[in-house]
């Protein structure tokens, strides 16, 4: 704490100099230097004080900059889309653009990702940054990273969400699954995946074309998947 002038006089000081310390283009505080003789503040001493002020100001500026950077990093870790862990969502949209945007956003914020899609992986990876995700092509063709059987898909999702780390699953192709395996089988599959996700900290997203299924069947899926929180 700087001495009051009356206290400085009692201690034998007769001269003082205030050294402003700056940061972010403003004076944050001042350091006071005291001397008993006028020579205490000759040109050399003044230069030393200016050098000291510059060094302290530079260190203060860096500390403030580092703090701002840390705050920005913390802010960047918060996804733009706020989905609840342990929840399963149905996203009603003509094309699954919103679903992929949400999926990409969570990946960029450090989440693990599993994407099962009817679109060719090369196409979706051109449009979105899915570098940190496992991407499987939902197709009857047999090649690397393709999948088609409902049991295989169920086991893949189950193993992914049961990992210790939180993850987000994008299942793009519900209409295709219904056409291949029937509505009742796919509905039981969705019920099972919803229960698995609910027991973890992971998230499941299922984009669906609003006109692809009869209204009563779409309503059954809506009972299992939250369609109110995220709409296109």
């Amino acid at each position: 704490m700087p001495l009051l002038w009356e206290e400085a006089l009692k201690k034998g000081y007769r001269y003082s100099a205030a050294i402003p310390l700056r940061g972010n283009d403003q004076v944050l505080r001042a350091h006071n230097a005291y001397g008993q003789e006028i020579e205490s503040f000759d040109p050399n001493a003044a230069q030393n004080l200016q050098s000291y002020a510059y060094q302290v100001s530079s260190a203060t500026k860096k500390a403030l900059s580092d703090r701002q950077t840390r705050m920005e990093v913390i802010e960047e870790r918060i996804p733009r889309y706020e989905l609840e862990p342990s929840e399963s969502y149905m996203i009603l949209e003509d094309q699954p653009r919103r679903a992929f945007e949400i999926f990409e956003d969570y990946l960029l914020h450090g989440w693990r990702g599993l994407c099962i899609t009817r679109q060719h992986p090369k196409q979706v990876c051109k449009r979105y940054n899915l570098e940190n995700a496992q991407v499987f092509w939902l197709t009857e063709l047999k090649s690397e990273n393709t999948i088609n059987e409902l049991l295989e898909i169920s086991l893949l999702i189950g193993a992914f969400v049961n990992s210790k780390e939180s993850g987000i699953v994008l299942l793009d192709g519900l209409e295709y699954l219904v056409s291949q395996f029937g509505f009742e089988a796919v509905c039981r599959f969705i019920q099972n995946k919803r229960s698995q996700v609910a027991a973890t900290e992971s998230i499941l997203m299922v984009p669906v074309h609003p006109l692809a299924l009869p209204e009563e069947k779409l309503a059954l899926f809506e009972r299992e998947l939250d369609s109110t929180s995220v709409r296109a």
Side-chain angles (χ1 to χ4, degrees), residues 37-176:
E37 304 293 338
I38 187 61
E39 290 78 9
S40 301
F41 303 105
D42 63 18
N44 288 334
Q47 186 175 0
N48 290 336
L49 290 173
Q50 289 177 347
S51 176
Y52 165 78
Y54 174 79
Q55 293 176 13
V56 175
S57 296
S58 296
T60 302
K61 184 177 181 180
K62 184 179 185 304
L64 291 172
S65 176
D66 290 345
R67 181 178 184 276
Q68 179 66 26
T69 300
R70 289 195 299 271
M71 294 300 294
E72 289 173 356
V73 168
I74 292 172
E75 184 176 345
E76 287 175 359
R77 288 178 180 169
I78 304 174
R80 290 180 297 140
Y81 300 91
E82 296 184 6
L83 303 185
E84 291 293 330
S86 309
E87 290 293 336
S88 298
Y89 296 89
M90 179 167 66
I91 302 176
L92 297 172
E93 51 184 346
D94 296 345
Q95 296 292 331
R97 296 188 183 92
R98 175 66 63 83
F100 273 100
E101 288 175 359
I102 296 172
F103 186 72
E104 178 187 45
D105 185 41
Y106 271 78
L107 293 178
L108 293 175
H109 289 86
W111 282 59
R112 298 180 308 119
L114 171 63
C115 174
I116 301 170
T117 175
R118 278 290 291 154
Q119 304 177 62
H120 196 285
K122 288 184 179 179
Q123 296 175 344
V124 293
C125 288
K126 284 182 181 179
R127 299 190 192 103
Y128 307 98
N129 184 356
L130 307 184
E131 182 179 351
N132 297 324
Q134 302 177 53
V135 182
F136 289 83
W137 187 17
L138 184 56
T139 176
E140 68 279 1
L141 300 179
K142 298 296 182 180
S143 64
E144 186 179 3
N145 291 336
T146 64
I147 195 166
N148 192 54
E149 295 298 324
L150 200 58
L151 178 58
E152 289 182 301
I153 298 170
S154 178
L155 292 174
L156 179 63
I157 295 176
F160 180 83
V161 301
N162 285 326
S163 174
K164 293 181 180 179
E165 296 182 45
S166 300
I168 184 166
V169 179
L170 173 56
L171 177 59
D172 166 35
L174 187 71
E175 304 89 342
Y176 171 81

Side-chain angles (χ1 to χ4, degrees), residues 22-36:
R22 298 179 178 273
N24 290 346
D25 298 325
Q26 59 181 335
V27 176
L28 301 177
R29 61 181 302 177
H31 280 194
N32 291 342
Y34 298 89
Q36 295 179 333

